[in-house]
Amino acid sequence: MARILITGASGLLGINLAMEAMRDHGIIGVDRGKLKSAPFPVIKANFYDRHVFIPALDNFRPDWVINCAALTNLEECEKHPGQAKILNINLARDLAEDCMKRKIKLIHLSTDAVFDGTKQGAYTEEDEPNPQNIYAQTKLAGEQAVRDAYPQAIIARVNFFGWSMSGRRSLAEFFFNNLSEGRNVNGFTDVIFCPMWVTDLSRILIRMLENNLSGLYHVVGSQAIDKYRFGLEVARRFGLREDLILPLSVEDSDLTARRSHNLWMSVHKLSTDLGCEIPDFSTGLDGFYTQFQQGYPQKIRSYQQ
Ligand SMILES: NC(=O)c1ccc[n+]([C@@H]2O[C@H](COP(=O)([O-])OP(=O)(O)OC[C@H]3O[C@@H](n4cnc5c(N)ncnc54)[C@H](OP(=O)(O)O)[C@@H]3O)[C@@H](O)[C@H]2O)c1
């Protein structure tokens, strides 16, 4: 049993990772005040204060740290690049330095969006990133800062879906919420990605730590799909109306941050180093649906203030 400190414990990944990891490990979450009655201990900290997590590292003495805290809203990053820099770069660097000094294993979360999406085929860890918006630029700089400070840290480029505390954090929730209310939504036909169910992602991150991996990995679902078709699959799985989803090009949307068209990522390195198949989003969608039937979304929502 390891002691795991999870930053961003109120976020989409943080809360689901904590719920999954606490089956076998000791968890402590770091949160800036949203979590009220989580089934694991929580430290309150705002990462705009530099080195605020040092007492947590020294008092809890975790074996592993998983950094899920970030400024993830692309439009907010465009509006507040200074905040994006503090959370996505400075926090990553400071945490990596502090973990390195204490010999604590670290996973830092990054994004598939570091690529410009112009490649024909799947991106590997060897491909050159070319971020297209402030979020992706700061996430790439965060990767570099972690690599410089702590070369043995794991950097995981991810993309995932699941149930969140707010009920509004993931693309699957976006389709589910709107279609359940009978509302039309746009689905981008020209954005390809490799979504992974957040519980599958959580299990794989833990396995990467158990297997002593280090360095850069693409940790996404093994199947590429466009966002419009992803919406259709969610609708089908939940028995909702597919015709409410309107196919649209992302170029015709009113989003300000530039999006990459092809975020098809190879998971060959991950699959080889872990010695296992990487789950695809179809089986993940079954898990996401089963959680819905079991009242999991209401359960995690009840943990917030
Ligand atoms: N979701 C995806 O598909 C996706 C795709 C690519 C990469 N990623 C990466 O995966 C990681 C987790 O993403 P996510 O979707 O779980 O993000 P999220 O739901 O937006 O969660 C971000 C977490 O960071 C916390 N945070 C933000 N500002 C903070 C501050 N000043 N002090 C302390 N905590 C702060 C948030 O706390 P509050 O709840 O209080 O705001 C929240 O717990 C991130 O590194 C993200 O870049 C996610």
Side-chain angles (χ1 to χ4, degrees):
M1 176 166 148
R3 294 149 71 83
I4 313 178
L5 185 131
I6 299 174
T7 64
S10 58
L12 173 58
L13 176 57
I15 189 71
N16 285 284
L17 173 64
M19 297 297 287
E20 187 57 30
M22 64 183 272
R23 295 170 187 272
D24 297 316
H25 300 287
I27 302 298
I28 189 155
V30 187
D31 159 60
R32 59 176 163 172
K34 272 189 190 150
L35 286 165
K36 171 186 66 170
S37 47
F40 49 86
V42 176
I43 297 170
K44 193 170 165 184
N46 189 323
F47 290 131
Y48 288 125
D49 303 330
R50 200 176 147 82
H51 291 305
V52 70
F53 38 76
I54 286 186
L57 297 183
D58 288 337
N59 296 337
F60 183 65
R61 298 159 69 93
D63 303 297
W64 305 339
V65 168
I66 306 180
N67 179 23
C68 304
L71 189 62
T72 58
N73 183 305
L74 272 64
E75 313 303 318
E76 287 298 306
C77 288
E78 297 294 312
K79 277 191 239 156
H80 307 290
Q83 291 179 15
K85 181 171 178 281
I86 292 172
L87 285 168
N88 297 347
I89 308 174
N90 300 0
L91 165 67
R93 179 200 59 216
D94 295 348
L95 201 47
E97 283 172 359
D98 291 327
C99 286
M100 169 81 176
K101 276 184 210 145
R102 291 165 180 76
K103 299 187 169 39
I104 298 168
K105 286 199 223 173
L106 172 68
I107 296 188
H108 173 69
L109 273 298
S110 188
T111 175
D112 53 354
V114 294
F115 294 114
D116 62 17
T118 56
K119 183 172 179 178
Q120 305 290 316
Y123 282 101
T124 73
E125 288 80 354
E126 306 298 313
D127 283 314
E128 198 60 45
N130 183 20
Q132 297 295 295
N133 53 54
I134 304 277
Y135 166 73
Q137 285 160 12
T138 55
K139 292 299 290 184
L140 181 63
E143 286 185 7
Q144 191 57 53
V146 170
R147 213 174 357 258
D148 289 347
Y150 191 177
Q152 295 79 22
I154 296 172
I155 296 169
R157 291 181 179 151
V158 296
N159 197 303
F160 54 90
F161 64 95
W163 299 108
S164 63
M165 281 199 338
S166 69
R168 293 190 304 274
R169 275 292 305 128
S170 77
L171 186 64
E173 290 177 309
F174 166 80
F175 284 116
F176 171 79
N177 293 340
N178 283 296
L179 301 181
S180 300
E181 299 287 326
R183 285 193 291 267
N184 280 115
V185 283
N186 295 324
F188 299 137
T189 50
D190 51 359
V191 178
I192 292 167
F193 69 142
C194 297
M196 177 178 259
W197 179 38
V198 70
T199 302
D200 282 335
L201 173 61
S202 303
R203 290 173 187 151
I204 287 182
L205 293 175
I206 294 164
R207 212 163 152 177
M208 292 171 80
L209 285 161
E210 288 168 348
N211 282 260
N212 280 318
L213 301 193
S214 71
L216 178 64
Y217 283 89
H218 291 176
V219 189
V220 294
S222 58
Q223 188 182 359
I225 186 168
D226 68 60
K227 293 201 169 179
Y228 171 67
R229 276 192 44 226
F230 179 77
L232 295 183
E233 295 288 343
V234 172
R236 269 178 216 142
R237 197 68 193 79
F238 284 82
L240 298 167
R241 281 178 53 193
E242 295 168 40
D243 62 308
L244 290 173
I245 308 174
L246 312 174
L248 185 78
S249 164
V250 70
E251 302 300 336
D252 296 330
S253 76
D254 53 9
L255 298 170
T256 47
R258 239 180 118 189
R259 263 75 172 174
S260 305
H261 287 276
N262 171 33
L263 294 176
W264 177 17
M265 313 272 280
S266 166
V267 288
H268 179 74
K269 181 181 178 196
L270 179 68
S271 169
T272 305
D273 290 0
L274 282 183
C276 70
E277 293 288 311
I278 304 305
D280 63 26
F281 94 89
S282 306
T283 52
L285 195 52
D286 291 341
F288 180 70
Y289 181 64
T290 302
Q291 285 181 325
F292 172 72
Q293 290 177 307
Q294 294 171 343
Y296 181 84
Q298 291 78 7
K299 183 162 97 173
I300 58 170
R301 264 170 233 168
S302 73
Y303 298 153
Q304 64 190 328
Q305 302 271 17

